[in-house]
Amino acid sequence: GMTAEQQEWAAGRGMTAEQQDRMKEVRALLEQAKKAREEIQTFSGASRQSLFEKLRDTKAALKREKQEKQEMKDRLVLAFDHARNLKEQNRQLQQQQTVEQEKWQNLVRDMKDRHRLELQRLRGDGAVAEADRQDQYSFFGEQVCEGLLALQQHLRSLRQETVDAVIMEGGEARPLSGGSPVGGFGGPVEDEDF
């Protein structure tokens, strides 16, 4: 409010009541501005510091969040890469297995085909039949040889039981039936020649 002195001053200046009221408003505004200026001065101390710290903390939290998001993204990218690699390895293994399987199947098929051809050849044309007969002859020949060998061994054991025993008993070689020399059967043929 205006002091009596100020009112007097204003009246002395010839101001109307309206002008005086306006003067009051201006003075009140000036007062407010002065207070505001003082508040700003005091604010520059503690309040400003705490605001700055809050701002700094918020920035730090934001940075941390960004970093965590980046790390999560990196982990996801790694996981996807790993999954992609595993999928690729699996695909390659399956492909390899398929190739191996086909290789073995081809090998078996090839062997069967060759076997079939061989059988056809053996059952087929005359030259093959001739070769077959040769095989049979050589088999028969082997059997004959085995038979002769068995006979030779039988004769050898017979000789040991008879001729050799007679020589041992008599102490001298005596001709057996018909004057054929000892150790032969009708001639000087050694049993190794059978």
Side-chain angles (χ1 to χ4, degrees), residues 43 46-56:
F43 169 78
S47 301
R48 185 191 252 167
Q49 190 58 35
S50 75
L51 250 184
F52 176 73
E53 279 169 17
K54 268 186 193 168
L55 187 66
R56 197 180 55 207

Side-chain angles (χ1 to χ4, degrees), residues 76-115:
L76 274 174
V77 166
L78 270 177
F80 281 131
D81 277 353
H82 189 60
R84 197 181 304 113
N85 288 342
L86 280 176
K87 204 172 173 184
E88 178 59 22
Q89 282 176 356
N90 192 32
R91 193 190 61 77
Q92 285 176 351
L93 272 176
Q94 281 182 329
Q95 200 175 354
Q96 198 177 332
Q97 264 183 337
T98 306
V99 166
E100 292 281 313
Q101 205 173 358
E102 282 174 7
K103 210 160 72 178
W104 283 113
Q105 283 173 345
N106 288 339
L107 192 71
V108 168
R109 198 179 302 116
D110 193 43
M111 282 171 70
K112 280 183 178 175
D113 288 348
R114 273 194 303 204
H115 191 217

Side-chain angles (χ1 to χ4, degrees), residues 19-53:
Q19 285 174 327
Q20 286 179 8
D21 283 343
R22 198 167 287 139
M23 196 65 176
K24 266 188 232 174
E25 284 173 22
V26 169
R27 197 166 278 122
L29 280 171
L30 284 170
E31 203 65 38
Q32 276 181 341
K34 191 177 164 190
K35 263 187 195 163
R37 203 167 24 254
E38 284 169 10
E39 279 174 13
I40 283 171
Q41 301 287 299
T42 57
F43 169 78
S44 69
S47 301
R48 185 191 252 167
Q49 190 58 35
S50 75
L51 250 184
F52 176 73
E53 279 169 17

Side-chain angles (χ1 to χ4, degrees), residues 31-177:
E31 203 65 38
Q32 276 181 341
K34 191 177 164 190
K35 263 187 195 163
R37 203 167 24 254
E38 284 169 10
E39 279 174 13
I40 283 171
Q41 301 287 299
T42 57
F43 169 78
S44 69
S47 301
R48 185 191 252 167
Q49 190 58 35
S50 75
L51 250 184
F52 176 73
E53 279 169 17
K54 268 186 193 168
L55 187 66
R56 197 180 55 207
D57 289 349
T58 308
K59 270 186 173 176
L62 197 66
K63 193 177 176 182
R64 264 199 312 278
E65 203 174 317
K66 263 187 180 175
Q67 213 170 343
E68 282 168 14
K69 273 187 183 170
Q70 187 59 47
E71 283 170 14
M72 202 156 72
K73 188 181 168 187
D74 291 347
R75 277 199 297 270
L76 274 174
V77 166
L78 270 177
F80 281 131
D81 277 353
H82 189 60
R84 197 181 304 113
N85 288 342
L86 280 176
K87 204 172 173 184
E88 178 59 22
Q89 282 176 356
N90 192 32
R91 193 190 61 77
Q92 285 176 351
L93 272 176
Q94 281 182 329
Q95 200 175 354
Q96 198 177 332
Q97 264 183 337
T98 306
V99 166
E100 292 281 313
Q101 205 173 358
E102 282 174 7
K103 210 160 72 178
W104 283 113
Q105 283 173 345
N106 288 339
L107 192 71
V108 168
R109 198 179 302 116
D110 193 43
M111 282 171 70
K112 280 183 178 175
D113 288 348
R114 273 194 303 204
H115 191 217
R116 201 178 298 113
L117 280 171
E118 197 63 30
L119 279 175
Q120 284 171 353
R121 236 188 67 219
L122 285 173
R123 292 183 188 138
D125 62 331
V128 173
E130 185 57 39
D132 223 8
R133 269 196 297 281
Q134 288 301 131
D135 284 348
Q136 284 175 340
Y137 286 145
S138 65
F139 178 65
F140 177 69
E142 281 170 31
Q143 282 185 317
V144 167
C145 285
E146 280 174 27
L148 285 172
L149 199 66
L151 181 63
Q152 184 185 19
Q153 282 171 341
H154 177 65
L155 286 173
R156 191 175 288 143
S157 65
L158 260 182
R159 191 181 80 172
Q160 283 173 347
E161 287 168 19
T162 58
V163 179
D164 291 356
V166 171
I167 291 172
M168 295 297 239
E169 282 169 20
E172 57 179 63
R174 282 181 303 174
L176 292 173
S177 61

